Amino acid sequence: MAMTGSNKAVAAQQNDPNSFAASVKDAAIAGLLVAVLGFFFIGIRTDIAPGGLDLKMRWGAWIISILVVFAGRLLLNLFVLRTDSPLTRKFADAMPSGTRFAGTGKWLMRALFAFALVLPFFFTTFFPGKDRQFIDLAILIMTYIMLGWGLNIVVGLAGLLDLGYVAFYAVGAYSFALLAQYLDIGFWFALPLAGILAACWGIVLGFPVLRLRGDYLAIVTLAFGEIIRVVLLNWYEFTNGPDGISGIPKPTFFGLELKRGEGGFADFFGIAYDPIQRFIFLYYIIFILALITNFVTMRLRRLPIGRAWEALREDEIACRSLGINTRNTKLTAFSIGAMFGGFAGSFFATRQGFISPESFTFLESAIILAIVVLGGLGSQVGVVIASVVMIGGIEMLRNLGFLQQVFGSGFDPVQYRMLIFGLAMVLIMVWKPRGLISTREPSVVLKEKKRIGADMVAQGEGH
Amino acid sequence: MDAATTMKNSDQSTPNWDRDPVLSVEHLTMRFGGLVAVGDLSFNVGRGDITALIGPNGAGKTTVFNCVTGFYKPTEGRIVMRHGPGRQQDDVETLTDSGQRWKTTGNGAVYLLERMPDHEISHKAKVARTFQNIRLFGGMTVLENLLVAQHNPLMVASGFSIGGILGLPSYKKAQQEAVDRAVYWLEHTNLVDRADDPAADLPYGAQRRLEIARAMCTKPQLLCLDEPAAGLNPRESAELNELLKYIRDEHKVSVLLIEHDMGVVMEISDHVIVLDYGVKISDGPAEFVKNDPKVIAAYLGVDDEAEIDMPEVREDLAKVTGDEPAKKASASKPASAAKKQGAAEKKSGSASKKTGATKTSAAKAAGAKASAAKATKPRTSKSSASKPATSKLAATTASSEKAAAPAAPKTVAAKPKTAAKPKAAAASKAAPAASEIKIANAGDYPGSQPHGTKKPRAGGANNLTRVKGIGPANEKKLNALGIWHFDQIAAWKKAEVQWVGSYLAFPGRIEREEWVKQAKVLAKGGETEFSKRVDKGQVATSVPGKRGAQPKKKTTAKGGKA
Amino acid sequence: MEYFVQQLINGLTLGSIYGLIAIGYTMVYGIIGMINFAHGDVFMIGAFIALAMFLILTTVLGFAFLPVVLLIVLIVAMFFTSAWGWTVERLAYRPLRGSFRLAPLITAIGMSIVLQNFVQITQGARVKPLPPQIQGGITLMEGSATGIVVQLSYMQIIIILTTVALMAGFTLLITRTPLGRAQRACEQDRKMAALLGINVDRTISLTFVMGAALAAVAGLMFVLLYGVIDFYIGFLAGVKAFTAAVLGGIGSLPGAMLGGLLIGLIEVFWSGYFSVEYKDVAAFSILAIVLIFLPSGLLGQPEVEKV
């Protein structure tokens, strides 16, 4: 009934949850909560002062935050949560529904692919001033796409929760860096070695732990990720510890270095040297690596091993009753996922030219896992969308200089990057718990291809 | 045993499951901590038969399945799967001694399933199974489910994925064959229209059929079905019967199924094995098992209940109380006794493996004679000298308790039903006349026999049915052991509890129901919750003091011991 | 010998802190079957609140009597941290109740990132040092040959006693009160508990509140014992505490405490006898080894595979 916001609503009964009074009350509770939560953090700041710690009171900020939350919650109540005609419904009606969206997934994928193919030239043509920055961002996103696709094999297909995926990323990066440093091996030769080494580590780590179930597996993989990081950090003689390894060689184009002058790529082809060429080259390397990852994954899904992974995710006991060696099947998933992580790692090393254990913290694992889950487990397109949104999104925050004019010079949007990233993770998950693309495509079809709704698909161990 | 062996040899109608067993379960024991889920169980599954494993809830049927399919590792025992015809006894023995898991022989191969991991049992030994609570890959399509079942051959065809990634044509061909096989089974399970639907979308009955189709796609030699008819409506049930017969007849696949739906069991089974408390209590063709009083008793639980309307059972009980030695042979045998027997058989050569039912036809006559003798003897002659002879006869001719049991009632069936009780009373009176309470095969039960007196003390026996767990039947049995008073039960030690539990064929129940504790209270003249209800006449299975000849004794005893 | 005893005392102290955090993990895991990744950061929040409250009382209001100050700090920290625990549950986990397993795990990780960065922004990234407030202790023994003095500091006594008291109170709460009963019922079967009239949402919220309150105690102890906190302490402490919970058998309260003590001892002894750098490796390796050979932890209920 109540036309919210109007006078009628105020007159409405007290017990109507959609009434204005109820909305205000709810908003007031939210405000009170913020008052409590923010008291020690927004209201007070401990600072190091001569002779110990000092307290700085910021009651203004505290009160503003309370008011902002109160107003925000009130507006949300009035227009979305506690109304008969939420605004979001209009948006939802305007947006294509989930199933139709899934149907267009194929076309979306093709469009994305075409765009990715010409991306560097798109930026050099249309954003000549900022092309380097954009291509760099595209490389970063593409790296995460590749990592997401690699982890998708383990988590999305085989249903094994791996919280230490970054370990294989680190193994790949350090393999290349150390091979280059000690044996003077180039990128193209080190790349497969790094992948194989990471796969071996996947088997070594996976062998003892893969019979653990669900969250136990998660915590042990997390522990392994941390162990590898700590070892890299402390094995000073070999890995140079926290100082990291620098001077990692750049990849060559069939033996041609992308450098200025004699014998370089530009010289050989007789074109003018431009530093952007190196970025474009790196972009295409990671693009091709990611494509290989995708191709292999899609192929594997249609092979018995891929179906066995998915069957394993659905019901391990039934798998065993059908003669599937579950341990080996899990190990293949783990090691193939690790291999792609290793490839991505050695690409990361060559791109940066410098690596240190700081790049391989648990946060990286969490981000990669978040990309996989937010995109929709098992969905290759989902990973792409989630990578673009999450990684592209937080990098975009670096460019919001105009906000400083709004909030004053003390405001640094970069500081808020991770805060917003975390909030986005929570919000997207609450909004779409199954991820953005949640339907599953069958791997084999008799007559008619029907997509399978997410509510049918199991999510792996311990569900 | 000799008698049994000769009988077997002379018997031309050895059933298929002993001549040509595809699966032999031998002395299988499975313990979970202290709980014995399956105790020394042996049976054979005939090649090309539909064999049903039945029994009340908690009888250990699914545990047997899980042992056979490798999900549990049995505590003891041997499980042999034979691909070739016949018993292949020599190959099995050499394989057992060799420590290998399987052995290829001239005609097929033999497998020792208890040594193999679960996936190998399906892959190598060709044993497929379904699950009690359906385990499909719900998020995968029906067709995908059936392709997963063909994982191992497809893995080989795909060159362990390498050839598959490269897109070799040989894999495509193999995949097409796999799809064809899947479609074949979908057609026979009426699921072909739903091939592209997710399995979780199917109705319940279709899911059950899909699980069978999936199991068949592994090309099994033995198909183990765990309650395939559970939750099906009558029409679906009939279709299932047809499907199983088709699988047996057209694909020559042996079927072992657990089922509660007796309609299904009786209609399609060639061979039925009945379990209760992890022990086999009957084994034979469906017709035989259906009429086996032990089976009826296990299902209806007459052992300790007064409502004995089945004349056979009633008279069987009468016989039991009347003659202790005979009871030994007819009581459903506890694990330990069976084990001993099994050990003895092993010595006499494993070729003469006991399966109970082997000797049934032959033993029936002998058993009938024996039990007729047993049934009459105590009443006609009170001489204890004749007893050992009787029991010996019972033991040799009717080593399988089932043999004696169904036959015995018939010999005494002429007796009017109402006569059962007075007769029992007379029998219990007769017992004390013997010089001492002695059970001929007391040593067959673990623990020690409790001390019994020939007669109740002055003042009469206590009403033992006031103890929760003791019904009139058990009271009679206890009286026959010389147990008349609560304080006698109260004095039982662990060994005695074990012995009596085993003797009464329900090991563990005395501890569970705390007879000793109850008896202690009652012996002091106290009351338990249960005894109060008994005295008020609220317990149908106990005698409050108004039924039969017993009350007179009871009323005097009620106040406590004299 | 003296060195060993000293390390033992230090290990038990550290273990007590881990144990208190681990209880929060184990309770939440027991009741909703998820790893509350943000719990380590709730501990960090608790430490910050305790620090700020301590400073308010001592520098702004000028209280000097330490026991009273500590008691007030403890109560305030428990209350405010509980509010944080409640909010985290309400925002990130309750909307996903009944959803599939990975969603709350991701929101938990997201919440952890949010809390860390929130504190970093509002309180600054720099380490906050607090000079030791409780000094002195009891000398237990003195090695004549080695010259090492084994000291049981008052701080350590307070930590161990508080932990023991809290554990005792907590065990009573879980085993004796209707709340504990409701909690155990929800652990067994949430749907059935709801059908029997238990307010499941409230019970789960209270579980988070209790976990957060214990984490606040651990936070206060951490501030007083180490005197150095920053926004990042929650992660490692959280991972260690979760390791402790898993080691002890997740879902088991005594297991969490035992696991905490073990992890504390392993860390301290490894640092004392082998190398400080690899103490985390030691703790994690022990976890992996225990799980491989004892998949349900030391005191956990072994999971029977239902076929």
Side-chain angles (χ1 to χ4, degrees), chain C residues 67-102:
Chain C
V68 173
V69 168
L70 286 184
L71 195 66
I72 296 172
V73 168
L74 186 72
I75 290 165
V76 170
M78 281 171 90
F79 172 76
F80 279 83
T81 314
S82 298
W84 275 96
W86 184 87
T87 311
V88 166
E89 196 272 335
R90 182 69 189 78
L91 286 184
Y93 308 147
R94 192 181 293 181
L96 292 170
R97 190 87 29 88
S99 177
F100 86 114
R101 191 175 56 98
L102 280 180

Side-chain angles (χ1 to χ4, degrees), chain A residues 299 320 323 440 443 447 450, chain B residues 118 144 152 165 196-197:
Chain A
R299 264 284 159 86
R320 277 160 36 193
R440 178 184 171 272
S443 66
K447 287 176 198 131
K450 298 173 187 168
Chain B
D118 41 23
E144 282 179 305
N152 286 312
I165 290 177
D196 292 318
D197 288 337

Side-chain angles (χ1 to χ4, degrees), chain B residues 203-394:
Chain B
Y204 192 81
Q207 291 196 1
R208 284 242 176 255
R209 292 204 301 278
L210 176 57
E211 223 191 1
I212 295 175
R214 189 180 67 180
M216 285 311 294
C217 278
T218 63
K219 294 199 250 177
Q221 297 227 357
L222 173 68
L223 178 63
C224 299
L225 305 173
D226 199 343
E227 299 196 17
L232 300 190
N233 65 33
R235 191 176 57 81
E236 287 172 325
S237 222
E239 283 171 5
L240 175 76
N241 286 354
E242 290 314 304
L243 177 64
L244 294 186
K245 283 183 193 157
Y246 177 82
I247 287 172
R248 174 190 62 185
D249 298 336
E250 299 302 314
H251 288 267
K252 307 292 177 215
V253 172
S254 319
V255 179
L256 173 64
L257 67 140
I258 292 175
E259 192 46 74
H260 279 302
D261 184 337
M262 286 302 137
V264 174
V265 171
M266 293 306 162
E267 191 192 327
I268 63 170
S269 304
D270 302 300
H271 175 197
V272 179
I273 297 151
V274 191
L275 295 189
D276 191 18
Y277 289 108
V279 178
K280 185 167 77 175
I281 59 171
S282 188
D283 185 336
E287 255 332 286
F288 166 76
V289 166
K290 192 154 55 171
N291 297 319
D292 189 336
K294 293 296 159 298
V295 177
I296 299 164
Y299 267 87
L300 300 180
V302 287
D303 218 6
D304 50 346
E305 275 168 32
E307 314 304 318
I308 310 169
D309 286 336
M310 250 154 308
E312 296 156 333
V313 174
R314 191 189 286 242
E315 273 146 32
D316 196 32
L317 283 170
K319 171 180 62 68
V320 162
T321 45
D323 183 355
E324 308 96 49
K327 177 155 109 287
K328 181 259 148 181
S330 58
S332 55
K333 203 155 287 176
S336 58
K339 196 181 277 173
K340 241 170 223 162
Q341 211 167 339
E345 278 149 14
K346 218 171 203 171
K347 265 176 240 150
S348 76
S350 36
S352 67
K353 281 255 152 20
K354 176 204 105 174
T355 51
T358 24
K359 301 135 214 159
T360 39
S361 46
K364 224 170 207 169
K369 215 192 265 167
S371 34
K374 281 179 279 167
T376 47
K377 217 143 234 168
R379 270 175 280 139
T380 49
S381 110
K382 283 169 188 168
S383 131
S384 56
S386 67
K387 276 177 188 168
T390 317
S391 66
K392 205 172 177 187
L393 182 64

Side-chain angles (χ1 to χ4, degrees), chain A residues 85-369:
Chain A
S85 53
L87 279 180
T88 44
R89 194 182 296 161
K90 285 170 198 155
F91 286 120
D93 290 344
M95 292 254 288
S97 75
T99 46
R100 265 185 290 154
F101 188 62
T104 56
K106 204 170 166 186
W107 289 104
L108 182 78
M109 189 113 179
R110 285 178 191 174
L112 277 174
F113 175 76
F115 178 69
L117 201 61
V118 298
L119 181 137
F121 302 104
F122 174 82
F123 284 126
T124 47
T125 321
F126 294 103
F127 300 93
K130 286 195 156 188
D131 53 357
R132 195 181 140 166
Q133 192 190 347
F134 279 130
I135 294 173
D136 210 29
L137 177 60
I139 293 172
L140 187 68
I141 291 175
M142 207 52 105
T143 314
Y144 276 100
I145 289 175
M146 177 163 174
L147 287 169
W149 279 342
L151 185 61
N152 208 1
I153 295 175
V154 184
V155 182
L157 294 183
L160 304 166
L161 183 50
D162 182 357
L163 287 179
Y165 191 63
V166 78
F168 306 120
Y169 190 44
V171 167
Y174 267 88
S175 299
F176 172 44
L178 293 170
L179 282 170
Q181 196 179 37
Y182 289 101
L183 301 173
D184 203 20
I185 288 174
F187 173 73
W188 292 110
F189 194 65
L191 181 71
L193 285 180
I196 289 166
L197 273 172
C200 289
W201 272 101
I203 291 172
V204 169
L205 298 189
F207 198 78
V209 304
L210 281 178
R211 65 198 192 98
L212 296 175
R213 292 172 52 79
D215 296 304
Y216 288 94
L217 180 67
I219 193 75
V220 173
T221 50
L222 190 159
F224 274 135
E226 283 297 297
I227 287 175
I228 288 201
R229 192 180 63 84
V230 172
V231 169
L232 290 177
L233 198 62
N234 291 304
W235 196 358
Y236 202 86
E237 306 77 41
F238 189 55
T239 64
N240 215 15
D243 301 340
I245 301 172
S246 54
I248 300 165
K250 301 280 168 223
T252 56
F253 182 78
F254 295 101
L256 295 170
E257 283 183 52
L258 283 103
K259 60 173 187 187
R260 191 187 295 275
E262 198 80 356
F265 173 83
D267 181 51
F268 185 83
F269 287 97
I271 48 174
Y273 174 76
D274 187 336
I276 197 73
Q277 284 162 0
R278 198 165 64 79
F279 286 92
I280 295 174
F281 180 54
L282 282 174
Y283 173 80
Y284 279 112
I285 291 177
I286 187 66
F287 181 56
I288 288 166
L289 282 176
L291 276 188
I292 291 172
T293 310
N294 183 41
F295 174 79
V296 170
T297 311
M298 297 307 272
R299 264 284 159 86
L300 284 175
R301 260 203 79 208
R302 284 173 174 73
L303 287 175
I305 185 72
R307 274 195 287 268
W309 289 339
E310 294 202 71
L312 205 60
R313 179 191 66 200
E314 298 283 331
D315 194 328
E316 182 175 340
I317 286 174
C319 276
R320 277 160 36 193
S321 83
L322 296 173
I324 295 173
N325 186 335
T326 49
R327 192 194 59 206
N328 289 357
T329 309
K330 283 179 183 176
L331 270 183
T332 37
F334 215 62
S335 58
I336 291 177
M339 183 180 75
F340 289 125
F343 287 149
S346 58
F347 173 79
F348 175 78
T350 194
R351 180 182 86 114
Q352 299 286 85
F354 164 78
I355 51 168
S356 76
E358 284 310 294
S359 311
F360 307 106
T361 57
F362 169 70
L363 186 66
E364 288 298 310
S365 286
I367 290 174
I368 302 165
L369 182 67

Side-chain angles (χ1 to χ4, degrees), chain A residues 295-297 299-329 332 336 440-458, chain B residues 70-71 118-120 122-123 127-129 131 134-141 143-145 147-152 154-155 158 161-162 164-167 171-172 175 179 183 186 192-198 200-201 214-215 218:
Chain A
F295 174 79
V296 170
T297 311
R299 264 284 159 86
L300 284 175
R301 260 203 79 208
R302 284 173 174 73
L303 287 175
I305 185 72
R307 274 195 287 268
W309 289 339
E310 294 202 71
L312 205 60
R313 179 191 66 200
E314 298 283 331
D315 194 328
E316 182 175 340
I317 286 174
C319 276
R320 277 160 36 193
S321 83
L322 296 173
I324 295 173
N325 186 335
T326 49
R327 192 194 59 206
N328 289 357
T329 309
T332 37
I336 291 177
R440 178 184 171 272
E441 194 171 309
S443 66
V444 62
V445 172
L446 191 63
K447 287 176 198 131
E448 176 199 1
K449 188 190 270 186
K450 298 173 187 168
R451 297 189 66 89
I452 298 167
D455 49 329
M456 310 252 178
V457 182
Chain B
F71 284 88
D118 41 23
H119 63 269
E120 267 185 3
S122 166
H123 177 37
V127 179
R129 73 168 291 176
F131 296 88
I134 305 172
R135 285 183 175 275
L136 290 168
F137 307 124
M140 304 174 82
T141 66
L143 184 62
E144 282 179 305
N145 267 274
L147 288 193
V148 172
Q150 303 176 58
H151 175 78
N152 286 312
L154 283 177
M155 260 323 251
S158 73
S161 304
I162 295 161
I165 290 177
L166 302 173
Y171 171 69
K172 283 183 184 145
Q175 162 138 343
V179 171
V183 170
L186 288 178
V192 78
D193 295 334
R194 311 222 42 182
D196 292 318
D197 288 337
D201 241 2
R214 189 180 67 180
T218 63

Side-chain angles (χ1 to χ4, degrees), chain B residues 405-433:
Chain B
K410 268 150 215 156
T411 56
V412 266
K415 284 257 172 197
K417 284 171 199 172
T418 45
K421 274 230 165 85
K423 184 191 72 186
S428 43
K429 256 181 225 139

